[in-house]
């Protein structure tokens, strides 16, 4: 039986909505991989088969016959993907519902991406590590989706052999679970190698004006990472939200979050050391402090009228308020405690807050930050940010 030809207008809709790429694997379908000549390599695949017969893949779906050759029922695929989804062994997996969802999400993403102002670019930097042997998914598509959804910026991944942008991969550094001095130092060196060399070179060439920072690693490394993202360019900080299991910032927050600072009643103005507790995603009790810290003046930042929890910083406005509280405290310490040389920081905070702490710190005017790590139920000094 001769297959009915798909109308040209419907073909055009599919190609445009898919951006000229396979909607399953993302392969560019207007250029050959071997010769790089211009070819039309894509194929239009029916989600619900063209014919309402058992031999037509997914053809027994009740979709009316006059809607089967419309763009809404067609996907742009490369030949291999088209052949695979129509094979008998794939039909129970590549169902009508699954293909429709993939098509809908892919085409919505293409539409958002192509609607962005190319001047609103951002360079994506990813710090990928482990926490107690665990890691999270932080791929290039994940970062891209978060940037577009949160700020409608055009993500760029420059200066990389594989086009992945600035990536710091700490997953293969040994010693993460115990967090000894050698582990912290190796990780610090890797972070500095990228941010103080590759990024610095890009800044000198004026190729970076805005950065989107994604990070997952042990807390001291997050603070050090933030400290290397200075104020010569604008930075947007992202974190993975447990409530949604995604990296993009929600457009609205359920509650407005503000942060308050508790100061010691009568700290000595000439004290040389102090303690800063950041109780945001959890609460650090005084009894958990290492012995030498218990006698030092102590400042605490915590959410106002809220119990610390993992989802306290659930919006960009909450992160901004936390950052403002940090800036205000550090400014007050610089003005009223000139002799304060070191601030011991014990923090229960989400990723974004840890990176923000590093960014807020100014080594020229603020006391050095000694960042503590909790391992085996005890806190110990890990890195000093000076």
């Amino acid at each position: 039986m001769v297959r009915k030809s798909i109308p040209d207008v419907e073909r055009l809709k599919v190609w445009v909505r898919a951006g000229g790429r396979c909607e399953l694997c993302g392969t560019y379908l207007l250029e050959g991989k071997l010769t790089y000549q211009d070819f039309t390599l894509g194929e239009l695949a029916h989600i619900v088969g063209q014919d309402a017969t058992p031999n037509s893949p997914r053809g027994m779906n009740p979709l009316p016959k006059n809607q089967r050759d419309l763009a809404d029922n067609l996907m742009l695929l490369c030949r291999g993907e088209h052949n695979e989804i129509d094979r008998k062994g794939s039909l129970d997996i590549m169902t009508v519902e699954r293909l429709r969802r993939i098509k809908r999400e892919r085409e919505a993403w293409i539409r958002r991406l192509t609607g962005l102002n190319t001047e609103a670019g951002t360079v994506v930097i990813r710090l990928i590590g482990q926490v107690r042997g665990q890691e999270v998914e932080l791929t290039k598509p994940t970062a891209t989706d978060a940037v577009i959804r949160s700020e409608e910026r055009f993500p760029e991944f420059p200066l990389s052999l594989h086009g992945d942008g600035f990536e710091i991969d700490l997953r293969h550094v040994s010693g993460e679970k115990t967090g000894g001095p050698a582990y912290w130092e190796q990780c610090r060196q890797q972070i500095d190698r990228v941010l103080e060399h590759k990024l610095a070179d890009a800044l000198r060439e004026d190729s970076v004006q805005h950065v989107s920072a994604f990070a997952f690693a042990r807390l001291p490394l997050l603070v050090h990472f933030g400290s290397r993202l200075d104020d010569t360019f604008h930075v947007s900080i992202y974190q993975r939200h447990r409530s949604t299991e995604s990296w993009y910032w929600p457009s609205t927050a359920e509650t407005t979050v503000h942060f308050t600072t508790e100061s010691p009643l009568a700290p000595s103005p000439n004290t040389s050391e102090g303690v800063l507790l950041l109780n945001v995603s959890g609460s650090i009790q005084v009894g958990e402090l290492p012995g030498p810290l218990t006698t030092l003046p102590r400042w605490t930042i915590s959410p106002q009228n809220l119990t610390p929890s993992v989802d306290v910083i659930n919006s960009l406005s909450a992160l901004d308020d936390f950052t403002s509280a940090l800036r205000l405290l550090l400014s007050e310490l610089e003005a009223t405690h000139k002799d304060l040389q070191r601030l011991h920081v014990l923090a229960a905070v989400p990723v974004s807050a840890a990176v923000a702490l590093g960014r807020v710190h100014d080594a020229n005017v603020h006391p050095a930050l000694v960042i503590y790590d909790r391992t085996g139920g005890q806190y110990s000094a890990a890195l000093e940010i000076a």
Side-chain angles (χ1 to χ4, degrees):
M1 183 173 62
V2 178
R3 290 176 62 85
K4 180 183 175 183
S5 176
I6 297 171
D8 288 343
V9 65
E10 301 301 323
R11 288 180 173 274
L12 179 61
K13 288 180 184 178
V14 178
W15 274 89
V16 170
R17 291 175 183 175
R21 293 185 179 273
C22 174
E23 296 191 72
L24 289 178
C25 70
T27 298
Y28 188 57
L29 299 173
L30 290 168
E31 183 179 78
K33 288 185 177 180
L34 298 177
T35 63
Y36 294 97
Q37 297 296 312
D38 291 338
F39 293 109
T40 304
L41 299 174
E43 298 183 358
L44 298 191
H46 287 80
I47 295 176
V48 174
Q50 190 176 44
D51 301 316
T53 66
N55 292 329
S56 184
R58 298 168 297 276
M60 298 307 291
N61 184 278
L63 184 71
K65 191 168 178 59
N66 63 358
Q67 296 181 23
R68 299 193 177 202
D69 287 338
L70 299 182
D72 288 343
N73 188 51
L74 299 168
M75 297 181 73
L76 179 64
L77 302 179
C78 61
R79 177 169 295 180
E81 305 284 6
H82 187 184
N83 183 43
E84 184 172 353
I85 69 166
D86 286 352
R87 289 293 182 96
K88 186 175 181 180
S90 297
L91 296 178
D92 290 339
I93 300 174
M94 305 309 292
T95 62
V96 170
E97 291 73 21
R98 175 168 282 115
L99 291 173
R100 282 174 174 167
R101 176 180 56 78
I102 293 172
K103 172 184 171 68
R104 181 174 61 254
E105 292 178 356
R106 177 75 180 185
E107 293 179 1
W109 181 79
I110 292 291
R111 185 165 184 168
R112 287 197 304 271
L113 185 63
T114 54
L116 297 178
N117 180 353
T118 55
E119 295 181 359
T122 182
V123 171
V124 174
I125 298 179
R126 291 176 293 160
L127 171 67
I128 306 173
Q130 294 182 327
V131 177
R132 308 290 187 265
Q134 302 295 315
E135 57 185 81
V136 299
E137 185 261 348
L138 185 45
T139 62
K140 181 178 174 181
T142 295
T144 296
D145 183 65
V147 168
I148 295 172
R149 286 176 180 266
S150 300
E151 295 193 282
E152 293 193 350
R153 286 188 173 273
F154 186 84
E156 301 174 89
F157 298 82
L159 306 179
S160 169
L161 178 63
H162 301 292
D164 292 330
F166 297 102
E167 180 180 291
I168 307 164
D169 191 346
L170 306 178
R171 290 172 293 183
H172 303 297
V173 179
S174 61
E176 184 274 323
K177 289 186 178 180
T178 55
Y183 173 74
W184 301 123
E185 183 57 30
Q186 285 186 62
C187 291
R188 183 209 292 263
Q189 290 178 11
Q190 288 204 32
I191 292 171
D192 291 348
R193 190 176 301 121
V194 173
L195 298 188
E196 293 188 350
H197 298 289
K198 286 181 64 177
L199 183 58
D201 290 343
L203 289 171
R204 281 192 292 270
E205 297 171 1
D206 291 328
S207 59
V208 176
Q209 284 79 42
H210 186 279
V211 164
S212 293
F214 292 78
F216 183 82
R218 296 282 283 270
L219 187 140
L221 301 174
L222 297 173
V223 180
H224 181 72
F225 174 68
S227 73
R228 294 301 184 260
L229 299 172
D230 59 39
D231 288 332
T232 57
F233 49 88
H234 183 73
V235 176
S236 294
I237 303 171
Y238 289 84
Q239 70 180 32
R240 187 174 185 272
H241 304 277
R242 293 191 186 182
S243 58
T244 60
E245 296 186 351
S246 64
W247 285 83
Y248 62 85
W249 289 101
S251 55
T252 57
E254 294 182 0
T255 57
T256 300
V257 182
H258 297 293
F259 292 86
T260 183
T261 301
E262 181 181 345
S263 302
L265 294 178
S268 169
N270 15 337
T271 185
S272 62
E273 301 196 33
V275 175
L276 172 59
L277 300 183
L278 301 177
N279 292 336
V280 178
S281 56
S283 297
I284 300 170
Q285 305 302 321
V286 176
E288 298 178 83
L289 298 182
L293 303 187
T294 57
T295 59
L296 298 178
R298 185 170 58 252
W299 289 264
T300 303
I301 295 179
S302 57
Q304 187 174 23
N305 300 323
L306 284 176
T307 301
S309 70
V310 294
D311 289 322
V312 164
I313 295 186
N314 60 357
S315 66
L316 283 172
S317 61
L319 178 60
D320 288 342
D321 201 89
F322 173 78
T323 303
S324 297
L326 280 174
R327 290 187 188 279
L328 180 60
L329 173 59
L330 291 174
S331 295
E332 289 178 350
L333 292 179
E334 193 274 329
T336 60
H337 291 74
K338 296 290 187 182
D339 293 328
L340 191 63
Q341 301 296 314
R342 303 171 87 208
L343 196 58
H344 300 265
V345 182
L346 291 81
V349 295
V351 165
S352 60
V355 177
L357 170 61
R359 284 211 77 218
V360 165
H361 180 256
D362 186 341
N364 295 316
V365 296
H366 298 149
L369 301 181
V370 182
I371 311 300
Y372 282 66
D373 172 72
R374 183 183 174 93
T375 300
Q378 295 184 331
Y379 285 96
S380 60
L383 288 175
E384 182 166 331
I385 313 295

